[in-house]
Amino acid sequence: METKNISSAVIKRLPRYYRYLSELLDEDVERISSNELSRKMHVTASQIRQDLNNFGGFGQQGYGYNVKYLYKEIGKILGLDVVHPMIILGAGNLGQALANYREFEKRGFKLVGIFDINPVLEGITVRGIEIKMIKDLGQFIKENSVEIAILTIPKNKAKEMADILVENGIKAIWNFAHVDLETPENVIVENVHLSESLMTLSYNISKYEQEHKDNE
Amino acid sequence: METKNISSAVIKRLPRYYRYLSELLDEDVERISSNELSRKMHVTASQIRQDLNNFGGFGQQGYGYNVKYLYKEIGKILGLDVVHPMIILGAGNLGQALANYREFEKRGFKLVGIFDINPVLEGITVRGIEIKMIKDLGQFIKENSVEIAILTIPKNKAKEMADILVENGIKAIWNFAHVDLETPENVIVENVHLSESLMTLSYNISKYEQEHKDNE
């Protein structure tokens, strides 16, 4: 399938389409019209038609979209048709929370290791996986073809850990540490900066209140 | 201060400026030039000058920006100069991880309660806060002027909980449940859909590999 010409704006919306299609599949829905999907997703039907037109010749009038086919094709674009071996660095609450997200594994994100720097945690198991020490990290990445590292360690250690990950050939870092990482171009970084999300929330509270006060 | 004319693109970048300024303050830096900030943040100096021009008449040639003043002003815009009482719904790993983020409290996000539906958890304390049951939620929100609810419960319960929160006058929901919530216009929702972030990561891995293969 040709994926090159899909715009980045469409790409950004794909995970949300994927989620809705997954829910439709769970409800055994075989096909859906752009109007129905529009009502569910609160996106205009024309936006949906435009976006999904990128995925070839279906969505005919009177039929709608084949849910299973579309789900599969979008999954391929998102790289969910292959297994991505994954490790967690940082076995604290957040690391453990992520280790227990069963949904990730369903999508091909297979947790194969958990690492920490605290020797007290060595050997303790989380979801059947023994916590290992950082000294074993390099060898483990190579032996297990680890692609993704989830970074849930404090920010003062994050850059150092990122360097070790890069040296050992990691493909991507899912970064929860509250710091911007500098990695070479071939190492993908996706940040989840929770504080920044919470600040956006409080900005929106202030903004709503100010607008509301002005209208009084 | 006039905040109305700041574009939403600038607003989106504010939390990141705020974070960098906070780090500079920790290092006792009093002033910084746009060029230095540019090198640190990997944003062009002209972008920085344009963005920060929104915050009044400083950043003169030969002086640079007053770090403390800028930090404070951006904090005000982001609503961080007031206390936001906050509760967590869902005392699982993720809820506990968020309860333990001390950084939030420094920014005015004060955790005042934790709720769960599992009676086994009732009365257990997390960071000195006793876990309460959902039946007490409504009264608690009103008595404690709770503004923000963090939703870390499974998606099949999230909509129902959101309705209860809205009924009881919550101002904002920070939603970690993997579902889109429908709330009235006066209730702010900020989503952290972790699966979607992970899918974006895997999309970028696939894309990089495809581009790299094409170049061989």
Side-chain angles (χ1 to χ4, degrees):
Chain A
M1 188 160 70
E2 187 56 66
T3 65
K4 291 234 142 179
N5 299 320
I6 300 176
S7 79
S8 65
V10 178
I11 295 297
K12 272 191 195 160
R13 291 192 285 269
L14 288 187
R16 193 156 171 263
Y17 282 118
Y18 192 76
R19 170 156 55 93
Y20 274 86
L21 290 166
S22 157
E23 286 170 11
L24 289 169
L25 271 184
D26 287 346
E27 295 160 13
D28 291 320
V29 176
E30 282 179 25
R31 60 194 201 186
I32 190 162
S33 69
S34 49
N35 286 327
E36 281 171 274
L37 200 53
S38 161
R39 272 193 299 277
K40 269 187 172 288
M41 292 186 66
H42 301 281
V43 175
T44 65
S46 100
Q47 166 95 81
I48 289 177
R49 279 192 294 270
Q50 268 181 40
D51 283 353
L52 300 188
N53 270 349
N54 287 292
F55 303 93
F58 38 85
Q60 299 97 329
Q61 279 238 286
Y63 179 78
Y65 296 98
N66 181 316
V67 173
K68 197 170 179 178
Y69 180 79
L70 199 53
Y71 174 79
K72 218 173 123 190
E73 292 303 311
I74 293 179
K76 277 188 211 165
I77 304 278
L78 291 172
L80 307 177
D81 56 335
V82 288
V83 172
H84 298 285
M86 186 166 85
I87 55 173
I88 292 175
L89 266 68
N93 279 312
L94 181 58
Q96 293 194 28
L98 295 170
N100 283 303
Y101 264 60
R102 281 157 208 282
E103 212 178 317
F104 295 161
E105 193 141 332
K106 260 173 55 189
R107 307 285 186 239
F109 301 100
K110 189 170 162 51
L111 183 66
V112 295
I114 304 176
F115 290 82
D116 204 285
I117 52 166
N118 184 351
V120 172
L121 297 173
E122 185 165 12
I124 291 176
T125 61
V126 177
R127 222 180 118 197
I129 296 172
E130 268 191 23
I131 298 172
K132 292 186 175 58
M133 295 293 101
I134 297 293
K135 64 173 169 46
D136 303 323
L137 185 59
Q139 201 185 345
F140 188 90
I141 290 175
K142 286 170 194 153
E143 283 179 4
N144 295 278
S145 309
V146 175
E147 288 191 3
I148 301 171
I150 308 180
L151 224 49
T152 69
I153 54 179
K155 69 175 179 181
N156 59 340
K157 290 279 174 198
K159 286 188 179 185
E160 190 188 326
M161 285 302 131
D163 290 344
I164 297 176
L165 291 166
V166 168
E167 273 166 35
N168 286 289
I170 205 81
K171 284 187 182 173
I173 298 174
W174 197 22
N175 176 36
F176 287 76
H178 201 204
V179 66
D180 294 320
L181 301 175
E182 285 162 40
T183 60
E185 194 240 359
N186 62 330
V187 177
I188 311 293
V189 176
E190 174 78 14
N191 293 308
V192 182
H193 288 330
L194 293 177
S195 296
E196 297 187 11
S197 170
L198 190 51
M199 288 181 199
T200 305
L201 182 87
S202 80
Y203 167 76
N204 285 320
I205 295 176
S206 300
K207 190 179 156 216
Y208 181 85
E209 285 179 350
Q210 198 176 329
E211 285 168 3
H212 191 73
K213 193 167 38 179
D214 291 352
N215 294 338
E216 266 170 10
Chain B
M1 188 163 70
E2 187 55 67
T3 65
K4 290 236 143 178
N5 298 319
I6 301 175
S7 78
S8 64
V10 178
I11 296 296
K12 273 192 196 159
R13 290 192 285 268
L14 288 187
R16 194 157 170 264
Y17 283 117
Y18 192 77
R19 169 155 57 91
Y20 274 86
L21 291 166
S22 156
E23 286 170 11
L24 290 169
L25 272 184
D26 287 346
E27 295 160 13
D28 291 320
V29 176
E30 282 180 24
R31 60 192 200 187
I32 190 163
S33 68
S34 48
N35 286 327
E36 283 170 274
L37 201 53
S38 159
R39 272 192 299 277
K40 269 187 172 286
M41 293 186 64
H42 300 281
V43 175
T44 66
S46 98
Q47 166 95 81
I48 289 177
R49 281 192 293 268
Q50 269 181 40
D51 283 354
L52 300 187
N53 271 349
N54 287 292
F55 303 94
F58 36 85
Q60 298 97 329
Q61 278 237 286
Y63 179 78
Y65 297 99
N66 180 318
V67 173
K68 198 171 178 179
Y69 181 78
L70 200 53
Y71 175 78
K72 219 174 122 187
E73 291 304 310
I74 293 179
K76 278 189 209 163
I77 304 276
L78 291 172
L80 307 177
D81 55 335
V82 289
V83 172
H84 299 285
M86 186 167 84
I87 54 172
I88 292 174
L89 267 67
N93 280 311
L94 181 58
Q96 294 194 29
L98 295 170
N100 284 302
Y101 264 60
R102 280 157 208 282
E103 213 180 316
F104 295 161
E105 193 141 332
K106 260 173 55 188
R107 307 285 185 240
F109 302 99
K110 190 173 163 47
L111 184 65
V112 295
I114 304 175
F115 291 81
D116 204 286
I117 50 167
N118 184 351
V120 172
L121 297 173
E122 186 164 11
I124 290 176
T125 62
V126 178
R127 222 180 118 198
I129 297 172
E130 268 192 23
I131 298 172
K132 294 186 171 58
M133 295 293 102
I134 296 293
K135 66 174 169 43
D136 302 323
L137 184 60
Q139 202 184 345
F140 188 91
I141 290 175
K142 286 170 195 153
E143 283 178 5
N144 295 277
S145 308
V146 176
E147 288 191 3
I148 301 171
I150 308 181
L151 224 50
T152 69
I153 54 179
K155 69 175 180 182
N156 59 340
K157 291 278 174 199
K159 286 188 181 186
E160 190 188 325
M161 284 303 130
D163 290 344
I164 297 176
L165 291 166
V166 169
E167 273 166 34
N168 287 288
I170 204 83
K171 283 186 183 174
I173 299 174
W174 198 22
N175 177 36
F176 287 76
H178 201 203
V179 65
D180 293 321
L181 301 176
E182 285 164 40
T183 60
E185 195 238 357
N186 62 331
V187 178
I188 311 292
V189 176
E190 174 78 15
N191 294 307
V192 182
H193 289 330
L194 294 176
S195 295
E196 297 186 11
S197 169
L198 191 51
M199 286 181 199
T200 304
L201 182 86
S202 80
Y203 167 76
N204 285 319
I205 295 176
S206 299
K207 190 179 156 219
Y208 181 84
E209 285 179 349
Q210 199 176 329
E211 285 168 2
H212 191 73
K213 192 165 44 181
D214 291 352
N215 293 339
E216 269 170 8

